[in-house]
Amino acid sequence: MANVPAAAVAASGLVGGYGVARWTKKRPLGGVALAAAGTLAAYEWNRRAGARAATGLTVAYVAAFAGSHPLAKKIGAWPSVFTVAGGVALASWAVTRRAA
């Protein structure tokens, strides 16, 4: 498997999950995309930084997903998704870089 940065996987999961849900009009399908990317990112976080870091970053991933909803009411849907995706990517990069 290619060595794809976990930060990119996590950010893509948030953006892609929203995009799939919006364009297919099937929210559960977006949830599948979100969960699949989150699972892969968690695996990589665990492999690169350990279980404790993976747990913290997974909680951040889920919190970003949940937090994007109220944020969207203030700044719009896509800006909200990109904001939380960027935050998760930054946190992922910082934690996995530090562990390396």
Side-chain angles (χ1 to χ4, degrees):
M1 185 160 104
N3 192 12
V4 178
V9 173
S12 297
L14 290 161
V15 173
Y18 175 69
V20 167
R22 182 172 178 134
W23 290 314
T24 65
K25 298 189 182 355
K26 295 185 185 335
R27 290 175 66 136
L29 195 55
V32 169
L34 179 81
T39 300
L40 179 58
Y43 172 79
E44 285 299 315
W45 291 327
N46 186 49
R47 190 173 71 79
R48 294 178 187 188
R52 194 169 176 182
T55 300
L57 288 167
T58 300
V59 167
Y61 183 79
V62 173
F65 166 70
S68 69
H69 292 81
L71 183 59
K73 292 179 181 181
K74 295 181 186 224
I75 66 172
W78 279 112
S80 172
V81 170
F82 287 127
T83 299
V84 299
V88 168
L90 182 61
S92 174
W93 175 80
V95 170
T96 56
R97 179 182 167 113
R98 186 164 204 202

